[in-house]
Amino acid sequence: MQASQPATFAAWRDYMARTSADALFILGDLFEVWVGDDIVQVGHDAQADFARSCQRVLHHTAQRLALFFMHGNRDFLLGAAFAGDCAMTLLADPCVLQFDTQRCLLSHGDALCLGDVDYQHFRAEVRTLAWQQRFLAKPLAERQAIAQALRAQSQAHHASGATYADVDPTLARHWLQKAKAGTLIHGHTHRPGSDWLDAGDAHDAAPRQRHVLSDWDASAAVPRLEVLRWRAGSAPQRVIAASGL
């Protein structure tokens, strides 16, 4: 989300206020861009106001249910300070979730998209501590300008007709086998749906299911406001947020 999406923010705020879930997991890219936790304290523009509004929503939600956050490719700089102020727990990527009698693997999904070679090189660079320390040491305005340029570059790339890479099934199955999990839940690819990963080698022929989360856009021709709801005794279900409280 970003400040220029008031309808999407309103839908998200409403869902967060009314959901009856006991725990809520956000698997990255809650924010269109995140340039450092200090934007909440020292920022004076629309994005800073938006960050503070989101902080209030997250904090209020965390007072009545367990709230977890995993970094995405757009908000990977969200830090412990902001998470602490929101009373939400940061998760490693990937992360095993044991619920009821089922064991699944949670991931944002970008690390699995090996076909996007340029992005994987970029990801390897910006996820290093050295790069992040150098970036966060820059003035806030400079960081915002860099982030804006990167987002414009990304949007131009996808406007050209380029498609989002899907996860590599071999790597995904390897992750699941290592985690002893039968289900993968991720986002990132903009290909929401549920399917079965391609069969692996002879050493891993077990069925492996995955659920791909949707992005949120309340202003789209067909609004995208989907969540994955998981109740004890049943399999995860894809529901529209308005009907999946």
Side-chain angles (χ1 to χ4, degrees):
M1 293 187 299
Q2 55 186 329
S4 61
Q5 296 176 301
T8 302
F9 172 77
W12 173 73
R13 180 187 58 201
D14 183 60
Y15 175 76
M16 297 289 279
R18 298 192 296 121
T19 179
S20 59
D22 296 317
L24 193 148
F25 296 80
I26 301 172
L27 300 187
D29 285 358
L30 174 63
F31 298 97
E32 187 75 10
V33 65
W34 191 262
V35 296
D37 292 0
D38 60 333
I39 191 172
V40 176
Q41 287 78 35
V42 303
H44 299 289
D45 60 4
Q47 279 301 117
D49 290 340
F50 179 72
R52 286 186 281 268
S53 295
C54 290
Q55 182 186 58
R56 288 191 291 271
V57 171
L58 292 165
H59 180 78
H60 290 159
T61 302
Q63 304 312 300
R64 59 187 184 80
L65 55 84
L67 183 60
F68 301 90
F69 180 86
M70 179 180 291
H71 293 113
N73 58 293
R74 299 177 184 176
D75 48 22
F76 64 91
L77 286 173
L78 189 148
F82 182 81
D85 289 341
C86 296
M88 66 181 181
T89 301
L90 294 177
L91 298 176
D93 185 358
C95 175
V96 173
L97 173 64
Q98 179 77 46
F99 178 70
D100 199 17
T101 61
Q102 301 181 62
R103 184 177 175 90
C104 73
L105 192 65
L106 306 179
S107 175
H108 176 63
D110 59 327
L112 290 165
C113 295
L114 301 184
D116 194 343
V117 177
D118 290 341
Y119 170 71
Q120 292 302 329
H121 288 312
F122 173 78
R123 186 182 192 279
E125 178 184 7
V126 302
R127 294 302 181 98
T128 63
L129 179 60
W131 185 94
Q132 293 182 13
Q133 287 178 335
R134 288 195 303 270
F135 182 80
L136 293 173
K138 298 179 184 294
L140 177 59
E142 184 178 350
R143 281 179 270 147
Q144 290 177 310
I146 293 172
Q148 184 177 6
L150 289 173
R151 287 301 303 139
Q153 181 181 344
S154 175
Q155 290 167 351
H157 174 71
H158 292 296
S160 69
T163 59
Y164 289 91
D166 201 356
V167 304
D168 181 85
T170 301
L171 181 58
R173 290 182 69 91
H174 173 72
W175 278 19
L176 287 165
Q177 185 180 28
K178 184 177 180 180
K180 297 181 173 60
T183 301
L184 173 66
I185 300 176
H186 71 86
H188 181 69
T189 63
H190 295 261
R191 301 182 183 191
S194 300
D195 60 15
W196 297 90
L197 290 167
D198 294 339
D201 56 34
H203 300 289
D204 182 29
R208 306 285 188 182
Q209 189 175 28
R210 69 164 175 167
H211 300 285
V212 186
L213 305 176
S214 169
D215 65 331
W216 273 41
D217 186 351
S219 300
V222 179
R224 299 190 298 274
L225 301 169
E226 188 178 78
V227 298
L228 193 68
R229 182 176 59 194
W230 197 357
R231 290 176 171 168
S234 64
Q237 293 182 317
R238 317 179 67 82
V239 297
I240 305 301
S243 61
L245 303 176

